[in-house]
Amino acid sequence: MEHITLLLGIVIVTALVFDFTNGFHDTANAMATTISTGALKPKTAVAMSAVLNLVGAFLSVEVAKTISGGIIDEAGIRTEVIFAALVGAILWNLLTWLLGLPSSSSHALFGGLIGAAVMSAGWSSVNGSTVITKVLIPAVAAPIVAGLAAMLATRLTYKIGGRVEDKATAKGYRAGQIASAGLVSLAHGTNDAQKTMGIITLALVTGGVIAPGSNPPMWVIVSAGIAIALGTYLGGWRIIRTMGKGLTDLAPPQGFAAQTSAASAILASSHIGFSLSTTQVCSGAVMGSGLGRKGGVVRWSTATRMFVAWGLTLPAAGLAGASAEFLTQQGTWGIIATGVLLVAGAGIIWTLSRRQPVTVDNVNDIEPAGVVTTGVAAVTPPPAGPTATVAGLKTMIPSPSPSPDAEPTSPATV
């Protein structure tokens, strides 16, 4: 560590800040369903998730190796490029948190990294085959696979437990939800903490501190694990509300099925080296569990906003990363300006979030109805009947009198 320069130190700190935002942005992945169904109290849930995120950070380094030596070509990449990439990722994370949208922190990081690398060294610096096979394909496939698995698991769960009274199964489902939520937290630490490890390792390689292809040093693993755990404990209540109450109404069997399906997909991908989005996996599982219950519904207005955020994440973070890299290319003043813009942007977003705060006390409140839902409710006709009440006035609506020339009604025959 004695060879770390001031700029490299700033990049490492910025990477840990991103890891912190990743933690509170993605807490909902593990704990939203557990909190919304009442299986755990909110503070207890995030504390448990934080500990398991820390433990998960030590289980694998395959995803970190994919990022540090797979997505972009290390040759010719300056340390400033890593800084610019992190600025783009952090700003997108904070913006989507403000809107309560469970977008992908992973794709924000990849987008920022690709945008900054292209601005610095051109399109040839990006390994397109790695981006396609280990980022884009998992991005499309993972939520679909997790959603189908959760839908089938939910139907199977209700079929098996359908003849048993709810009281008899309540404790079992509560225990199952807690266990599966813990598994998702462990998987999240294994997958997402590694992304910051990979970024710091890439920065160390570009700074000449370690050789290309090296595994993350132990101090990198420890610091990344602690940063994501602290962010997780902070809560990220806005996105927890969206995941727990905004997409569908979950019962304990659905929560258990969704979390188990998501954890299985995340853990499998971590060991393969696929750097998928835990947010997309968990969101897909929640929607699948909503569709798997008879009579269950998915709030497609919320889901549509979420899908739009998913589609915008890579290009938006890439544009922000490219813009930040353009500034850093101007020299020392450009690097300083980039840092100032990051701090100012974060401050503005935090200030806006205080207008309608979501806290541990109101996280389980029902989300306000969307524009479409409100519009439909406004034009719903009044119930049929002989009376109608409007603004406190009761008006009798008489039945139409038969016409004198009308023929008498004859009984129907079949």
Side-chain angles (χ1 to χ4, degrees):
M1 293 182 63
E2 62 271 17
H3 301 293
I4 292 179
T5 63
L6 176 60
L7 176 59
L8 187 53
I10 292 173
V11 171
I12 292 171
V13 171
T14 308
L16 294 176
V17 170
F18 167 78
D19 204 22
F20 180 80
T21 67
N22 190 351
F24 73 74
H25 197 282
D26 290 2
T27 308
N29 298 343
M31 289 300 171
T33 58
T34 305
I35 292 171
S36 67
T37 60
L40 282 176
K41 293 182 178 179
K43 276 292 184 182
T44 304
V46 296
M48 170 184 162
S49 185
V51 172
L52 290 171
N53 266 268
L54 178 58
V55 174
F58 293 89
L59 296 184
S60 174
V61 294
E62 290 302 316
V63 175
K65 289 162 65 176
T66 296
I67 294 174
S68 63
I71 291 180
I72 64 172
D73 186 2
E74 299 165 346
I77 295 298
R78 303 173 301 121
T79 306
E80 291 89 335
V81 174
I82 313 301
F83 178 56
L86 290 166
V87 169
I90 290 171
L91 289 176
W92 182 255
N93 260 2
L94 292 176
L95 178 61
T96 50
W97 164 77
L98 175 66
L99 299 175
L101 293 175
S103 69
S104 171
S105 297
S106 307
H107 291 171
L109 180 59
F110 300 150
L113 189 60
I114 292 170
V118 169
M119 176 60 70
S120 175
W123 287 102
S124 61
S125 63
V126 178
N127 296 325
S129 60
T130 302
V131 172
I132 292 172
T133 57
K134 292 200 172 183
V135 178
L136 296 182
I137 291 178
V140 175
I144 296 174
V145 171
L148 291 174
M151 183 173 66
L152 294 175
T154 300
R155 291 181 177 177
L156 181 62
T157 300
Y158 275 107
K159 186 174 182 179
I160 294 174
R163 299 180 181 179
V164 184
E165 294 183 2
D166 291 342
K167 291 183 179 180
T169 59
K171 289 184 178 180
Y173 281 129
R174 181 177 182 273
Q177 270 201 282
I178 294 172
S180 58
L183 193 58
V184 174
S185 297
L186 192 68
H188 182 259
T190 303
N191 198 285
D192 277 42
Q194 287 188 63
K195 292 158 189 170
T196 299
M197 296 177 205
I199 283 293
I200 295 177
T201 302
L202 181 60
L204 294 174
V205 170
T206 61
V209 177
I210 60 176
S214 299
N215 285 340
M218 180 54 66
W219 66 267
V220 172
I221 297 174
V222 172
S223 58
I226 292 174
I228 200 169
L230 290 174
T232 300
Y233 184 71
L234 187 65
W237 305 112
R238 289 176 178 272
I239 300 176
I240 289 177
R241 175 191 281 184
T242 300
M243 287 276 282
K245 294 291 185 181
L247 282 175
T248 187
D249 294 320
L250 291 176
Q254 293 169 278
F256 172 67
Q259 289 169 315
T260 304
S261 302
S264 301
I266 296 168
L267 285 172
S269 69
S270 295
H271 289 289
I272 295 173
F274 284 165
S275 187
L276 54 73
S277 164
T278 55
T279 300
Q280 292 182 354
V281 172
C282 293
S283 300
V286 168
M287 286 187 284
S289 65
L291 295 173
R293 186 185 72 181
K294 187 177 181 180
V297 296
V298 171
R299 296 186 179 93
W300 292 110
S301 59
T302 301
T304 300
R305 289 191 297 122
M306 187 177 66
F307 294 152
V308 170
W310 289 0
L312 289 176
T313 295
L314 271 171
L319 182 60
S323 301
E325 169 58 15
F326 177 77
L327 272 179
T328 64
Q329 289 177 348
Q330 310 310 311
T332 303
W333 74 265
I335 297 173
I336 295 173
T338 302
V340 170
L341 288 174
L342 173 61
V343 174
I348 292 171
I349 291 172
W350 184 86
T351 302
L352 292 174
S353 73
R354 295 303 90 195
R355 294 182 177 182
Q356 292 182 325
V358 180
T359 67
V360 65
D361 298 317
N362 64 0
V363 67
N364 275 334
D365 291 352
I366 301 297
E367 278 204 328
V371 175
V372 175
T373 304
T374 304
V376 171
V379 298
T380 300
T387 62
T389 304
V390 180
L393 299 177
K394 188 173 182 181
T395 305
M396 299 302 296
I397 304 178
S399 300
S401 301
S403 170
D405 299 327
E407 296 183 1
T409 304
S410 58
T413 60
V414 177

